Amino acid sequence: MDTHQRNEYEDAAKAFAAEIGLEYFDTRPDINIKPLLGLLTHEGMQAYGIVPLSLDGTKFTLGLSESTNRNELEALRLRLKGYEVNFVFISLIGWQRLMNRYLTATNLDAIETGNFDTFSDRLANVEPKFMFEPLAQLAYQLGASDIHLEPSANEARLRFRIDGTLHPIIIIPRDRYDLLTSDL
């Protein structure tokens, strides 16, 4: 998408925000997401259709787009006790871009440390329809040519082929493996 198209899309999002009575937030300038990592799970952000934009003390600003189910926002506000939650409107393109940045940053942390426990925990708790995306993203970031899913009676081992060698990544419970493969 070229700059002109993106500007038109952002202008439309700004107009829609005014129409529904929300403040518009422009996500085109880079947002420092590092201090926001881990505040919400990628799956939670996807389920609610929101992304963290800033945290200033207890004031937590979350971006929502036209695809967000706004009926769920009060429930989310209640789940985030201890924070003064502020919702602002962002474009759908901005939301998608930030979601990709959060997913990439989470995976890069696992790659840098070599500790895939957090990644394994994410897969263990995510809805089945969202399980493959983080797995494929991690495989791509590691430069894996293929993903091996090796089930046994009680668990399944996931290995990535990187530079011709299979590397163990995580082990998931068998029921999660069954859910993962049922959605493929």
Side-chain angles (χ1 to χ4, degrees), residues 15 59 104 111 116 136 143 146 150 157 168 183-184:
K59 186 177 180 184
T104 299
I111 291 167
F116 294 100
D146 47 288
E150 303 165 345
R157 183 168 61 165
D183 247 23
L184 295 178

Side-chain angles (χ1 to χ4, degrees), residues 72-104:
E72 297 290 325
L73 296 180
E74 199 51 45
L76 177 61
R77 195 183 302 267
L78 292 173
R79 291 186 75 182
L80 294 171
K81 291 182 251 180
Y83 291 108
E84 178 190 336
V85 179
N86 179 42
F87 294 108
V88 295
F89 192 82
I90 63 176
S91 69
L92 184 58
I93 290 172
W95 182 83
Q96 291 167 337
R97 186 174 143 264
L98 283 169
M99 286 295 288
N100 285 335
R101 286 185 62 207
Y102 275 106
L103 182 60
T104 299

Side-chain angles (χ1 to χ4, degrees), residues 143-145 161-165 167:
S145 60
R161 185 178 307 280
I162 303 169
D163 295 329
T165 304
H167 297 273

